[in-house]
Amino acid sequence: MQSNTDIVISSRIRLARNAAGLKFPAKLEPERAKKLPREVYAAVSRTGRFTLRYVEALSEIEGGVLKEKHLVSEDLLHNAESGAAVINEDETVSIMVGEEDHIRLQCILSGQDFRSAFETADRIDDDIGKKIAYAFDPNLGYLTACPTNLGTGMRASAMMFLPGLSILNALEACVEAVARLNMTIRGVYGEGSDSAGYRFQVSNQHSLGVTESELLDAVEMSIGHIEDAELKAREVLYKNGSTGIRDKIQRAYGILTNAYVLSSGEFTQAMALCKLGAFYGFIKFSDPERFEKLMVDAQPASLQSISEGALLPETRDIFRAAMVGKVLRSIS
Amino acid sequence: MQSNTDIVISSRIRLARNAAGLKFPAKLEPERAKKLPREVYAAVSRTGRFTLRYVEALSEIEGGVLKEKHLVSEDLLHNAESGAAVINEDETVSIMVGEEDHIRLQCILSGQDFRSAFETADRIDDDIGKKIAYAFDPNLGYLTACPTNLGTGMRASAMMFLPGLSILNALEACVEAVARLNMTIRGVYGEGSDSAGYRFQVSNQHSLGVTESELLDAVEMSIGHIEDAELKAREVLYKNGSTGIRDKIQRAYGILTNAYVLSSGEFTQAMALCKLGAFYGFIKFSDPERFEKLMVDAQPASLQSISEGALLPETRDIFRAAMVGKVLRSIS
C-alpha cells in the first residue's frame, strides 16, 4: 500500500536474531564470530541474489556509502574483525552479521509499505532459521543482546518527512500521542542524531509482549496520526503566509541550482525546502525517485564514490554543487 | 570611442545656463518662470524631436520613472509650479528648465563616449543660445546659481561600475588621485547618496578656469586611471579566492532567477554581482543592453509603470521578482 503523500519516505522492518548456543557478539570468540557471515549468506543465497560484504574488506568510502544508504550501522562498521553485511541486489534487504546481535535483518522499501517489508523480512528470517537455530525462549520470545529487543525482536520504523510540524515546533504533541502506542520519534540516523532536513524516524520502543501483527497495526496507526498532523501543519504554514514560505523555497531551489560551493548541511536543508515546495506546487520535479536518490548521492561518502577520486574537503563542496545543480535542472 | 570594458556604464555632459536679465529660478517671478519651458522647447524643436514635459502634469510614477532614468533630478520634481523637462526621442538628451539654474542641459550616452556627448550638448546649447540670451560674463564665463558651476557651466560625469575597488575597500586611493585632476567620486544618484550596486559617479568638482576641452581631457584621464585600478582590483579579488567570489556571484544569480519576493536593494546588489560574474565569465548574458535596461526597469517607479496598475509594496516585490527572473533567464 503506497501512501499518496510524500510524508512517509520509507518503511523499514528490522528483525534481531541470535544463534542458539553462542555468546552474544560482544563476548563471542573471534574465531567463531568470523564463521557467522558465511553461514548466513549460505542460508539466504538459495532463494535470492545476495552479496556478502565483510567490513574488513570495505574501504572507508565504501563503508560510508553503505551507511548513507542505511544498509549498515556505524556499530557494524566498528566490528572490523568479524562484521559483515549480506545485501540483496536492489538493496531493499540487508542482513548485518556481528552487530549488537548476531543477526540484524532489515527490509527497507520506499513509501509506506510495511506489510510488504514485513513479508519479505519474515520469509528471509524463515530461510535463515532453517539453517541456524535461533536463541528462543517460549516465554520471552527471541533472545537479544539488549532487553528492548526481546520478544519479536522486531522494529518497524518509518522515515518521515515532517517540515510542517518541525517549522511550527509542533512535534512534541505527536511524540506524546504516539508514545501511548509504544512508538517513538527520532532524528534521521536513529537515536541521538539530529533531525536534518526535517526527517524523522518513527519506530516502536520495545518488542516484548506484542505480536508482529499488533506491532504493524501500531506503527500504521502512529504514522496515520502523524501524517494527519503534518498535513494540517502544512496547511497552517501556508495560511500563515504563503508568500514567505514560497520565497524561502524558491530561493533554496535557486541556491541548489546555482551555488558554486555547497556544504552537506546546506544541501540537506535546501532539498527539504524544495521537497516541501513540490508538495505546495511551487516547484515541480518530474522524477521524485531521482530527487530522493540525490539526497543519498550528495552525502559525503557517496559523493566520494561517484567522483571516482579522492576529493579534498573544499573540492567536495564544489563537486556537490555541480552534481546537485545538474540533476535538479534535469528533473525540474 | 567605446570602452572595451564594462566599467564605464554611461558618459554624461551637463551644461548649466541662465537667461540674461532674469533672476535665478529661486527668486524668479512665477509668471515669468512659467514661460521659460516653452521658450526652450521652441528653441530646440526645430533641429530635433523633443517632448516638453511639465512637472505639474507628471503623475508621481511618471516623475519617478524619469528620475530613475536620470532624466530629471529630485530638485526639478519639487518645482511643481514651473519646472519642466525637454527630452528627445531616444532619451539621450534632457533639458531641465527651472532647476537650480534656468537651464540644465544634459546629454547621456551609454559606455565611454564623452566626445559625442559633448558635441551633442554643444550643438543644442548653440540652438538655445540663438533664441535665449545667456547670462555670461567675459571674465567669469557663464553665470550660474551656484559658484561651483561658474565658468563653462559644464559637468562631465561618468557612471562607473567599481565592484573590485569597492569590495577591496580601495576606492579612497582613487578618490585622492583624481582629486588632483579636479575630479570627485560620488554615489549613484549624485552627491550624498549611497553607492548601491558598486556604481559611482565620477565628475569634475568645479568648472571655473578650465576650458571644455581641458575638462574633457581631465575626465578621460581620471576614468582611465580608475579603470586601470578597477581591473587590477578585480584581478586581486580573483587571485585572493575565486571560489568564494564565484560562489557569491552564482548564488546571486540563483536568487535573481528564483526568488518569489525581491526587494529593490537586494536586486541592485545581486545584479551588481552578476555583472561582475559576466566579467569573470562565470555567467554569460547574451544581451548586455537588456541587462542594463533591467537595472532601471526594476526600480520602484519604473516597475509601477510597467505593471500598469498601482502595486502595493508587498506585491511590488513579488512583481519585481517575476519580471527580473523572466528577463534574466531570457538573456542567460
Side-chain angles (χ1 to χ4, degrees):
Chain A
M1 185 189 67
Q2 287 285 329
S3 167
N4 60 356
T5 74
D6 65 342
I7 297 176
V8 182
I9 295 169
S10 63
S11 305
R12 176 170 160 263
I13 293 292
R14 185 267 283 154
L15 302 175
R17 298 290 185 259
N18 287 281
L22 296 187
K23 292 173 188 160
F24 287 132
K27 302 270 186 184
L28 188 59
E29 304 76 17
E31 288 314 305
R32 182 64 193 92
K34 280 180 181 169
K35 292 179 184 161
L36 261 180
R38 193 150 285 282
E39 290 165 14
V40 172
Y41 176 68
V44 298
S45 56
R46 237 161 290 180
T47 56
R49 297 182 74 164
F50 285 87
T51 308
L52 172 57
R53 308 199 68 176
Y54 288 99
V55 171
E56 66 169 347
L58 296 175
S59 69
E60 198 180 326
I61 290 175
E62 288 168 327
V65 170
L66 292 177
K67 182 164 175 276
E68 286 166 3
K69 288 178 172 175
H70 297 278
L71 293 172
V72 303
S73 65
E74 186 66 37
D75 275 1
L76 183 79
L77 294 177
H78 285 154
N79 182 1
E81 211 171 26
S82 60
V86 180
I87 299 169
N88 75 342
E89 230 178 350
D90 63 5
E91 300 185 331
T92 52
V93 173
S94 169
I95 308 159
M96 292 191 282
V97 185
E99 218 251 19
E100 190 179 279
D101 295 298
H102 294 143
I103 294 167
R104 285 283 179 103
L105 157 59
Q106 77 163 18
C107 177
I108 184 164
L109 299 176
S110 65
Q112 179 166 341
D113 202 3
F114 281 101
R115 303 286 160 170
S116 302
F118 177 71
E119 275 168 30
T120 300
D122 193 40
R123 183 174 47 73
I124 294 169
D125 182 40
D126 285 350
D127 288 343
I128 302 174
K130 280 173 197 158
K131 299 287 167 185
I132 298 172
Y134 286 146
F136 185 84
D137 178 279
N139 289 318
L140 294 172
Y142 293 102
L143 301 178
T144 53
C146 176
T148 56
N149 295 316
L150 267 178
T152 58
M154 172 163 147
R155 173 166 282 173
S157 53
M159 178 83 79
M160 299 191 77
F161 176 60
L162 307 174
L165 292 166
S166 303
I167 295 171
L168 293 180
N169 278 320
L171 265 166
E172 203 50 52
C174 281
V175 171
E176 284 169 25
V178 301
R180 281 174 238 129
L181 291 161
N182 175 35
M183 302 292 291
T184 181
I185 304 179
R186 291 193 196 86
V188 66
Y189 280 112
E191 227 159 325
S193 68
D194 286 345
S195 56
Y198 308 134
R199 289 177 183 228
F200 299 86
Q201 213 180 69
V202 179
S203 57
N204 56 310
Q205 305 206 58
H206 56 78
S207 54
L208 186 64
V210 282
T211 65
E212 284 87 348
S213 172
E214 285 166 345
L215 207 156
L216 288 174
D217 289 345
V219 74
E220 287 187 344
M221 270 183 70
S222 302
I223 284 169
H225 175 85
I226 299 170
E227 264 187 346
D228 288 348
E230 171 63 19
L231 285 173
K232 269 181 208 132
R234 291 187 190 180
E235 205 175 317
V236 168
L237 204 60
Y238 190 88
K239 282 185 183 159
N240 281 359
S242 65
T243 298
I245 190 80
R246 180 171 190 164
D247 187 46
K248 215 173 154 187
I249 286 166
Q250 293 189 187
R251 281 164 185 260
Y253 177 80
I255 295 300
L256 288 176
T257 49
N258 289 283
Y260 183 64
V261 184
L262 191 63
S263 73
S264 178
E266 189 180 13
F267 162 77
T268 304
Q269 186 57 21
M271 284 288 279
L273 283 168
C274 284
K275 196 171 162 69
L276 181 61
F279 169 81
Y280 284 132
F282 297 152
I283 312 177
K284 285 183 180 58
F285 295 109
S286 60
D287 187 347
E289 273 180 38
R290 186 71 193 84
F291 184 92
E292 278 305 319
K293 185 171 179 296
L294 183 59
M295 283 296 297
V296 176
D297 287 348
Q299 298 304 313
S302 300
L303 209 61
Q304 289 278 7
S305 164
I306 291 167
S307 79
E308 292 175 358
L311 295 170
L312 296 169
E314 55 265 47
T315 333
R316 194 174 59 198
D317 287 353
I318 295 176
F319 186 86
R320 178 184 291 112
M323 186 192 74
V324 167
K326 198 179 158 191
V327 171
L328 282 187
R329 275 190 298 268
S330 76
I331 61 169
S332 58
Chain B
M1 185 188 69
Q2 285 285 330
S3 167
N4 60 356
T5 74
D6 65 343
I7 297 176
V8 182
I9 294 168
S10 63
S11 305
R12 175 170 160 263
I13 293 291
R14 185 266 284 154
L15 302 175
R17 299 289 185 260
N18 287 280
L22 296 187
K23 292 173 189 160
F24 287 132
K27 302 270 186 184
L28 188 59
E29 304 77 17
E31 288 314 304
R32 182 64 194 90
K34 279 179 182 170
K35 292 179 186 162
L36 261 180
R38 193 151 287 280
E39 290 164 14
V40 172
Y41 176 68
V44 299
S45 56
R46 237 161 290 180
T47 56
R49 297 182 74 164
F50 286 87
T51 307
L52 172 56
R53 309 199 67 177
Y54 287 99
V55 171
E56 67 170 347
L58 296 175
S59 69
E60 198 179 327
I61 290 175
E62 288 169 326
V65 170
L66 292 178
K67 182 165 175 274
E68 286 166 3
K69 288 178 172 175
H70 297 277
L71 293 172
V72 303
S73 65
E74 186 66 37
D75 275 0
L76 184 78
L77 293 177
H78 285 155
N79 183 1
E81 210 171 29
S82 60
V86 180
I87 300 169
N88 74 342
E89 229 178 351
D90 63 6
E91 301 186 330
T92 51
V93 173
S94 169
I95 308 158
M96 292 191 285
V97 184
E99 219 250 20
E100 190 179 281
D101 295 297
H102 294 144
I103 294 167
R104 285 282 180 104
L105 157 60
Q106 77 164 18
C107 177
I108 184 165
L109 299 177
S110 65
Q112 178 165 342
D113 202 1
F114 281 101
R115 303 286 160 172
S116 302
F118 176 71
E119 275 167 31
T120 300
D122 193 40
R123 184 176 46 74
I124 294 168
D125 182 40
D126 285 350
D127 287 343
I128 302 172
K130 281 173 197 158
K131 298 287 167 187
I132 298 172
Y134 286 145
F136 184 85
D137 178 279
N139 289 318
L140 293 171
Y142 293 101
L143 301 178
T144 53
C146 176
T148 56
N149 295 315
L150 268 178
T152 58
M154 172 164 149
R155 173 166 282 172
S157 54
M159 178 83 80
M160 298 191 78
F161 177 60
L162 307 174
L165 292 166
S166 303
I167 295 171
L168 294 180
N169 279 320
L171 265 165
E172 202 53 51
C174 281
V175 170
E176 284 169 25
V178 300
R180 280 174 239 130
L181 291 161
N182 175 36
M183 302 293 291
T184 182
I185 304 179
R186 291 193 195 86
V188 68
Y189 281 110
E191 226 161 323
S193 69
D194 286 344
S195 56
Y198 309 134
R199 289 177 183 228
F200 300 85
Q201 214 181 69
V202 179
S203 57
N204 57 309
Q205 305 207 56
H206 55 80
S207 54
L208 186 65
V210 283
T211 65
E212 285 87 349
S213 171
E214 285 166 345
L215 207 156
L216 287 175
D217 288 344
V219 75
E220 286 187 344
M221 269 183 70
S222 302
I223 284 169
H225 175 85
I226 299 170
E227 264 187 346
D228 289 348
E230 170 63 19
L231 285 173
K232 269 182 207 130
R234 292 187 190 180
E235 205 175 317
V236 168
L237 205 60
Y238 190 89
K239 283 187 182 157
N240 281 358
S242 64
T243 298
I245 190 80
R246 179 170 190 164
D247 187 46
K248 215 173 154 187
I249 286 166
Q250 293 189 187
R251 281 164 185 259
Y253 177 80
I255 294 301
L256 288 175
T257 49
N258 289 282
Y260 184 64
V261 184
L262 191 63
S263 73
S264 178
E266 188 179 13
F267 162 77
T268 304
Q269 186 56 23
M271 285 288 279
L273 283 168
C274 284
K275 195 170 163 69
L276 181 60
F279 169 80
Y280 284 132
F282 298 151
I283 312 177
K284 284 181 181 59
F285 295 108
S286 60
D287 186 347
E289 272 179 40
R290 185 72 193 86
F291 183 93
E292 278 305 319
K293 186 171 178 297
L294 183 60
M295 283 295 297
V296 175
D297 287 348
Q299 298 304 315
S302 299
L303 210 61
Q304 290 277 8
S305 165
I306 290 167
S307 78
E308 291 175 358
L311 295 170
L312 296 169
E314 55 264 46
T315 333
R316 193 175 59 197
D317 287 354
I318 295 176
F319 186 86
R320 177 184 291 111
M323 186 192 75
V324 167
K326 198 177 157 193
V327 171
L328 281 187
R329 276 190 297 270
S330 76
I331 62 168
S332 59

